Amino acid sequence: YSHLFTTTCWKKYTVPGNMCPKNDMNMPRQFSDDELVSSTTRKETDDTWKDNNDPSSSQCPDFIESLPTSQQFLILSASMFLFFGVHNLLQEAIMKVPGFEHHGVMLAYMEVLGVTICSYLERKYIAKESGHVAPLSSYPLLTGCLLTSTALSNMSLNYINFPTKVVFRSCKLIPTMIIATIVNRRVFKSVEYVSALAISIGLIVFAAADWRLTPSFNPIGLTLVSTSVFADAILPNAQERLFRLGSSRLEVTLYTNTFTLIAMTVMTGCSGNLTKTIALALSDGHLALFMAVYTTISYVAVSTFM
C-alpha cells in the first residue's frame, strides 16, 4: 500500500477501510487528519519491514555489506559451515566428558544463554536499538517452540548417540517448508522441494557412515528428537510473522531467547541440572573452557545463518 498513501484518492483506488465514493463531479476525495496519520503509520510499518527483511539491506558488518552480493553469500555460507561445524564438535566433546552425559539439556541452556547475552550487547551497542515493535504477547509461541526444540534435541543425547540425532535433525527442512505453505501461504516450486529432499538425503548419508557402526534406537530418545524437529519447523514461520510487523532480527532473537532463558533457568534449577553442571565445570578446567567457547560460538553460528 505504500505507493497509495497520498492526501487524495481518485475513485478508482481502494484504500484499506475506505472506498473513494462516487460523485457526479468525479472529484478527488480529501482524507481526514486521522486517516492520514493511520496511513502514515502503515507506511512506516511497511518500510520498517522492508528494511529488516530486504536482502539488499541486511544487518551485516560494513566490510561485508560493501562487497558484491555473491561474495557476501559465499563468505556468510562458509562462515556458517565453519562455526556450526565447531559448534557440533564441541557439543559432542562436551557430552563425552565423564559426568556430563546425563546433563544434555544444559547444552541447550548454554546456547540460549550465549545468544541472549550476545544479542543484547549487539542490539544495544552496535545496532543502537531499544524497545520492541511486536507485542510481548507474540512471544509465548516462539518461546515454547525454541524451548521445545533446543531442550528436547539436546536431552535426546541422554538416550541416543550424536550421529542418530544428526540423522533425524537433518530432515527438518521439509516440514519447515510444509508449515510455511500452510501458515504463511508460502508457495514453493517443485524444484525447491526436490532440492530440500536432496539436501536432507545428503546429510543423512553423510552421517550414516558413523551411524551404521553405532546405531542407537532408544524409543525415548527418538521421540524427543522427533518432537524437537517439529517444534523447530514451526519456529522460523512464527518468527516471519513478527518480521512482517516490523520487528528486527535482533529484537526477535533477544526477546525469544530471554523468555526461553528464564523458563530454562527455572526448569534446570528445579531439576538440579544447573547446580550439578556448575559444580562439574568448577572441578574440570577443560570442561569449563569447552562450555565458555560453546556458549559464545553458538551466537556467532546463529548470526551467520540469519
Side-chain angles (χ1 to χ4, degrees):
Y1 303 124
S2 60
H3 61 289
L4 297 178
F5 294 115
T6 58
T7 56
T8 60
C9 175
W10 293 93
K11 68 177 185 178
K12 66 179 180 180
Y13 288 117
T14 302
V15 177
N18 295 286
M19 175 70 78
C20 295
K22 290 185 178 180
N23 55 59
D24 295 335
M25 299 295 294
N26 284 333
M27 292 296 292
R29 184 172 78 83
Q30 298 295 326
F31 283 95
S32 67
D33 291 340
D34 290 340
E35 289 172 321
L36 291 177
V37 171
S38 176
S39 297
T40 302
T41 301
R42 286 194 295 269
K43 181 180 184 302
E44 290 174 349
T45 300
D46 278 354
D47 290 344
T48 303
W49 184 86
K50 285 182 180 180
D51 290 340
N52 290 335
N53 297 279
D54 186 357
S56 64
S57 57
S58 61
Q59 299 181 19
C60 298
D62 291 339
F63 76 93
I64 294 182
E65 286 190 340
S66 63
L67 299 174
T69 304
S70 58
Q71 293 184 22
Q72 291 183 37
F73 175 75
L74 291 175
I75 291 174
L76 292 174
S77 298
S79 300
M80 182 186 69
F81 281 108
L82 172 64
F83 288 113
F84 268 113
V86 175
H87 167 275
N88 291 342
L89 287 173
L90 286 171
Q91 192 175 70
E92 190 170 12
I94 291 172
M95 285 302 298
K96 290 181 178 179
V97 173
F100 197 93
E101 58 270 13
H102 299 297
H103 304 296
V105 68
M106 292 308 298
L107 290 173
Y109 184 87
M110 287 184 284
E111 288 180 8
V112 174
L113 176 64
V115 172
T116 301
I117 295 174
C118 293
S119 62
Y120 170 79
L121 295 175
E122 182 182 354
R123 189 168 189 254
K124 182 175 182 179
Y125 296 106
I126 299 178
K128 306 294 184 181
E129 293 182 12
S130 61
H132 56 87
V133 176
L136 296 181
S137 59
S138 303
Y139 287 98
L141 174 61
L142 273 70
T143 299
C145 290
L146 181 60
L147 180 63
T148 301
S149 173
T150 56
L152 297 188
S153 173
N154 290 287
M155 284 174 63
S156 68
L157 292 175
N158 296 336
Y159 305 95
I160 59 177
N161 58 16
F162 195 80
T164 303
K165 173 197 166 185
V166 171
V167 167
F168 276 80
R169 294 283 293 178
S170 298
C171 302
K172 74 177 183 179
L173 182 57
I174 296 176
T176 300
M177 295 173 68
I178 294 174
I179 293 177
T181 301
I182 297 173
V183 175
N184 292 323
R185 300 293 188 266
R186 294 283 298 275
V187 178
F188 297 97
K189 298 178 181 178
S190 299
V191 67
E192 292 177 311
Y193 280 108
V194 172
S195 298
L197 182 62
I199 292 172
S200 299
I201 293 175
L203 291 171
I204 292 172
V205 171
F206 182 79
D210 191 14
W211 179 65
R212 282 199 299 266
L213 297 175
T214 55
S216 181
F217 288 104
N218 187 297
I220 297 177
L222 297 182
T223 301
L224 292 175
V225 73
S226 299
T227 305
S228 75
V229 169
F230 180 73
D232 211 15
I234 298 176
L235 181 61
N237 291 291
Q239 288 176 328
E240 184 176 342
R241 289 194 167 191
L242 297 193
F243 293 146
R244 290 183 179 276
L245 293 176
S247 299
S248 68
R249 170 186 65 86
L250 286 172
E251 177 192 330
V252 174
T253 301
L254 175 60
Y255 281 92
T256 302
N257 282 273
T258 297
F259 293 133
T260 304
L261 180 63
I262 294 172
M264 294 190 73
T265 300
V266 174
M267 292 171 54
T268 56
C270 293
S271 66
N273 282 296
L274 182 59
T275 54
K276 291 177 182 177
T277 301
I278 292 175
L280 193 61
L282 292 175
S283 63
D284 189 331
H286 290 289
L287 176 60
L289 178 61
F290 284 165
M291 290 171 61
V293 176
Y294 180 80
T295 299
T296 304
I297 209 168
S298 296
Y299 182 68
V300 178
V302 169
S303 296
T304 58
F305 166 73
M306 297 187 72

